[in-house]
Amino acid sequence: MTIAARALTVAPTRVVRERRRPWFLVVPALTLVVVFFVVPYANLLVMSFFMPGKAEPYDAIPTFGNYTSALGDSFQWWILWRTLKLGFLTTLFTLILGYPLAYNLAHAGSKVKGMLMVLLLSPLLVGVVIRSFGWMVLLADNGLINSLVKHWGLAPHGLKLMYNEFGVLVGTVHIYLPFMVLSLSGALENIPPDLELAARSLGASSTKAFWRIVFPLSLPGVFAGCLLVFVLAVSSYVIPVLLGGFKVITTPLLVVQTAVDVHNWPGAAAQAVILFAASLACIGLYFKLMNRAMRGLSA
Amino acid sequence: MSAITLRGLTKRFGSVVAVDDLHLDVQDGELMALLGPSGCGKTTTLRAIAGFELPDAGDIDFGDHRVTNLPPERRNIGMVFQNYALFPHMTVAQNVAFGLEMRREQALAIRSRVATTLAKVQLTGLEGRYPRQLSGGQQQRAALARALVVAPDVLLLDEPLANLDAKLREEMRFYVRSLQQEVGITTIYVTHDQAEAMVIADRIAVMFNGRIHQLAAPQEIYHRPHTWMVAEFVGLTNFIEGKVVSQEDQLLVVDTALGTLRCGGLAPGADAKTERLMAVRPEAIQLSGRSGGGVSGDVPGPRGADPAMNRLQGVVRARAFLGNLVDYRVEVASGVVLRVQGDPHAPFAVGDSVNVAFQPRSTWSVPAREERVC
């Protein structure tokens, strides 16, 4: 009764306040988004429905040919599958590696937390290219790891650590880990520590308290982190190029090859749109699963 | 149900001693309040009893069962937190059922016990609500239900009413007390609110700096404080410094800046200093009119002319009407102001000259500030 009454009295003032909100303040940001995001994407979408041109990027002849040839090509399907698979595996491993890290970060004292934060974020200060080169030094056939392995006689011919999916995965997991940890630690910090203690006082072991209380309440962070890492991993270009050495072709690589090497801009545009649609489908499915998981746990 | 015994409990955080060699016996079925200002070690003591903090020294027993090194989940406690710590992703019923699930009870038994307990705290009908959909008082009762449903050996309450508004807090004091009596559970109640402790507790342990200054029934704490810190923390007190000069008819005769006064209090031992602080409660002081010049020294108080009565003269400097009483500040010597609380119908105004009188037996003296225990 009282809540309903309060809602009634509050509602009109809120409407008034919203009407007075200075909407024109969003214009600069909106302009930026439209000019640098919406227009290029729209251009890409339009381009994908025209014939490839000889002199121009495309001729003004509308066609579905770019899509029929891309979708009819089993190689491209396979590449797309690998791209999504690498994205999924990157997400999974960053989650598994990042969760304990985030948990400790969220529970650390303020001094330690500052230091851990610097450690976590410092790799972001170095570019992706440099960091990938760093991994190449470690993973190459005659790199640090292999020379140790050979020295100890563990594998006389060395291990194949690079120029394969494993190498790419190592790179993406390392480079996108901070994004996962930041999302997770934000969510974990918002969980009052008393909740865990309350569970313990009611007879839950620390393991049970974690799975019944802490983990479910951290799901929004898991959700956000996975989404972020998946999107970044699926669209990454530099890491597969350097650590995959053009032996691990993913859709972004294929798009660039088609556009730059083959000079088939509309074909590349169609491939990009297909990747976009596929990612969107994955994310949609993920949203659905996550919503179900969170409905079971919250409301 | 079981008694709680603390023996030499000590907990340090770095160089800070939060709990200092604490000894405490809580009787079976008793409600003991740990009262003190923030940082006095009361919450640390409670958390050590709950098992959230491992003590650096000392032992904790529940009955004849040593729990010092047991993790919280094996102590069979019920705990209510200041912010209730209800699980936000679970309904009221799921929250209350949690402890029973952890004890692997049958689903059917869980359902009936949850229903009984929710009925006991008058939350029937709200089983399906989430904590955020409850009012503060309802959340509080849900937290109590969750703690009590598992039939714990001891109930630990950490400032359970601190987040409620003043009116509800007052109601809930009586409610928590009657619930505790009904269940008959040994309870430790941590609070910084002296009124709350007085209303709710069988005995109060007043803590400062990790030590118990006094452990006694509320009346005893209020009327016969052991230290000036207890006297100052519990209720309002006027302190009058003085020196014990003699003892007379179970009263101490104290030489003060206001003249020779008589007061109650434990006689200081032969080797103890004789510096004392007289603690006079504002409501123990009576004012009477001195208008028209009157006959000096004659106090027509309600008790008549008692020769042992402490008598002073003063001037009303401030007056505050509080509804059920009037709070005066009366200057009895230059710079010495006593707070006096009394009848709201009393006629004194600021600037009035008044006779000030208080019974020696309604005062108490404590060791002077220099002798502080901590």
Side-chain angles (χ1 to χ4, degrees):
Chain A
M1 275 292 277
T2 54
I3 289 169
R6 198 177 299 158
L8 278 175
T9 56
V10 164
T13 60
R14 189 175 292 167
V15 169
V16 169
R17 208 171 283 163
E18 260 168 35
R19 210 175 280 162
R20 228 185 277 155
R21 204 170 277 168
W23 55 270
F24 49 85
L25 289 180
V26 305
V27 169
L30 202 65
T31 314
L32 206 72
V33 167
V34 169
V35 171
F36 292 103
F37 189 79
V38 176
V39 170
Y41 270 73
N43 182 31
L44 197 78
L45 192 64
V46 170
M47 197 200 293
S48 70
F49 289 102
F50 287 101
M51 292 284 281
K54 290 276 175 317
E56 303 290 318
Y58 60 90
D59 291 334
I61 308 161
T63 174
F64 287 109
N66 301 313
Y67 285 97
T68 49
S69 71
L71 294 173
D73 185 351
S74 64
F75 174 69
Q76 287 199 25
W77 276 109
W78 187 73
I79 297 285
L80 182 64
W81 159 244
R82 169 147 79 188
T83 308
L84 296 176
K85 183 184 75 183
L86 282 173
F88 171 76
L89 288 174
T90 305
T91 309
L92 186 69
F93 284 120
T94 50
L95 181 62
I96 291 168
L97 291 174
Y99 204 105
L101 214 61
Y103 187 87
N104 284 300
L105 191 67
H107 289 80
S110 58
K111 255 186 207 164
V112 182
K113 187 179 286 180
M115 258 168 44
L116 288 177
M117 224 34 159
V118 170
L119 277 178
L120 178 69
L121 296 180
S122 59
L124 296 178
L125 298 174
V126 183
V128 179
V129 177
I130 310 287
R131 275 188 287 165
S132 297
F133 274 131
W135 278 113
M136 289 168 79
V137 170
L138 290 175
L139 300 178
D141 286 350
N142 51 2
L144 196 63
I145 293 174
N146 266 321
S147 49
L148 285 176
V149 163
K150 280 179 206 161
H151 180 76
W152 287 327
L154 295 173
H157 302 293
L159 299 166
K160 195 79 191 128
L161 299 174
M162 221 173 70
Y163 300 140
N164 56 16
E165 289 187 4
F166 174 80
V168 175
L169 204 57
V170 167
T172 50
V173 166
H174 169 238
I175 282 160
Y176 299 130
L177 188 62
F179 298 97
M180 179 63 88
V181 174
L182 287 179
S183 302
L184 290 174
S185 69
L188 284 166
E189 267 170 42
N190 281 334
I191 302 172
D194 277 355
L195 294 185
E196 206 175 334
L197 295 180
R200 297 289 302 277
S201 78
L202 290 166
S205 64
S206 51
T207 320
K208 270 219 175 98
F210 174 79
W211 286 112
R212 289 289 306 269
I213 308 299
V214 177
F215 185 72
L217 290 173
S218 73
L219 277 179
V222 172
F223 181 53
C226 287
L227 194 64
L228 192 63
V229 169
F230 179 77
V231 168
L232 287 171
V234 161
S235 60
S236 67
Y237 175 75
V238 173
I239 304 160
V241 166
L242 292 178
L243 290 165
F246 291 104
K247 290 195 175 113
V248 183
I249 304 293
T250 60
T251 306
L253 265 73
L254 194 67
V255 170
V256 173
Q257 281 180 350
T258 312
V260 176
D261 300 346
V262 187
H263 209 71
N264 177 1
W265 285 86
Q271 286 162 7
V273 170
I274 290 167
L275 174 63
F276 176 71
S279 307
L280 212 59
C282 288
I283 291 164
L285 189 72
Y286 174 63
F287 257 93
K288 216 166 209 175
L289 287 172
M290 213 60 196
N291 265 342
R292 190 172 299 165
M294 299 225 276
R295 192 184 314 135
L297 294 155
S298 62
Chain B
M1 316 289 144
S2 58
I4 302 169
T5 314
L6 307 183
R7 286 281 165 268
L9 190 73
T10 302
K11 177 70 191 176
R12 297 182 200 88
F13 294 109
S15 61
V16 180
V17 183
V19 180
D20 191 0
D21 192 27
L22 197 83
H23 293 260
L24 188 66
D25 286 289
V26 186
Q27 311 291 320
D28 195 355
E30 185 181 26
L31 198 162
M32 166 86 73
L34 295 184
L35 175 68
S38 58
C40 73
K42 56 190 195 300
T43 296
T44 306
T45 305
L46 193 77
R47 291 168 66 91
I49 296 168
F52 302 152
E53 307 277 3
L54 281 181
D56 293 311
D59 275 308
I60 303 165
D61 292 346
F62 291 171
D64 47 11
H65 183 57
R66 180 143 295 180
V67 300
T68 315
N69 293 313
L70 287 182
E73 64 267 25
R74 290 179 49 202
R75 295 191 181 197
N76 196 30
I77 52 173
M79 179 137 179
V80 175
F81 295 78
Q82 182 170 351
N83 54 12
Y84 317 130
L86 292 169
F87 306 131
H89 58 302
M90 296 185 191
T91 62
V92 171
Q94 287 168 336
N95 263 282
V96 176
F98 186 85
L100 297 173
E101 281 172 30
M102 290 301 121
R103 284 166 173 73
R104 300 180 189 286
E105 303 273 348
Q106 297 291 316
L108 215 67
I110 291 180
R111 208 172 307 156
S112 79
R113 276 175 74 180
V114 167
T116 325
T117 311
L118 283 177
K120 197 180 278 174
V121 298
Q122 294 141 38
L123 285 178
T124 306
L126 301 179
E127 292 87 350
R129 296 265 187 101
Y130 284 90
R132 63 178 176 278
Q133 297 168 319
L134 300 180
S135 71
Q138 289 168 339
Q139 289 183 27
Q140 221 274 329
R141 281 181 279 144
L144 274 169
R146 187 179 68 175
L148 287 173
V149 75
V150 297
D153 288 332
V154 301
L155 180 62
L156 307 174
L157 307 172
D158 185 8
E159 308 248 7
L161 308 183
N163 284 356
L164 300 176
D165 61 64
K167 195 133 198 157
L168 188 58
R169 186 157 62 227
E170 212 155 284
E171 274 171 40
M172 287 300 288
R173 282 175 195 160
F174 293 101
Y175 178 75
V176 171
R177 175 61 175 168
S178 66
L179 191 65
Q180 186 265 341
Q181 295 280 293
E182 193 186 320
V183 182
I185 188 170
T186 313
T187 304
I188 296 188
Y189 189 106
V190 162
T191 180
H192 67 272
D193 183 337
Q194 40 111 358
E196 202 167 292
M198 300 258 211
V199 170
I200 219 166
D202 294 307
R203 286 192 298 162
I204 300 174
V206 188
M207 287 184 73
F208 296 100
N209 302 314
R211 287 169 166 272
I212 293 176
H213 276 212
Q214 188 169 8
L215 171 60
Q219 293 88 339
E220 184 80 5
I221 298 269
Y222 189 78
H223 291 299
R224 298 175 192 288
H226 277 184
T227 67
W228 70 268
M229 290 173 93
V230 173
E232 191 180 49
F233 191 76
V234 180
L236 284 169
T237 297
N238 296 295
F239 284 117
I240 304 168
E241 283 177 50
K243 223 173 229 184
V244 177
V245 289
S246 69
Q247 216 174 326
E248 180 180 288
D249 191 18
Q250 289 176 331
L251 294 173
L252 302 176
V253 180
V254 183
D255 200 7
T256 73
L258 305 172
T260 302
L261 300 173
R262 287 171 177 77
C263 69
L266 300 170
D271 56 334
K273 285 187 196 168
T274 50
E275 302 276 337
R276 300 292 275 189
L277 276 178
M278 280 177 67
V280 189
R281 298 293 185 187
E283 71 276 9
I285 304 175
Q286 291 141 22
L287 300 180
S288 57
R290 199 149 61 83
S291 52
V295 187
S296 70
D298 180 33
V299 180
R303 282 161 212 272
D306 181 346
M309 193 76 143
N310 292 309
R311 289 164 208 279
L312 300 165
Q313 297 189 332
V315 177
V316 175
R317 289 298 178 208
R319 176 183 192 272
F321 176 66
L322 298 177
N324 58 338
L325 49 81
V326 176
D327 192 351
Y328 295 103
R329 274 148 222 265
V330 180
E331 191 169 13
V332 289
S334 87
V336 183
V337 174
L338 296 182
R339 281 187 78 168
V340 181
Q341 290 183 341
D343 190 352
H345 305 295
F348 307 109
V350 175
D352 282 1
S353 291
V354 288
N355 287 313
V356 177
F358 51 94
Q359 283 281 352
R361 289 187 197 286
S362 58
T363 67
W364 192 249
S365 72
V366 294
R369 284 189 170 87
E370 288 72 30
E371 291 177 58
R372 65 177 70 173
V373 184
C374 44

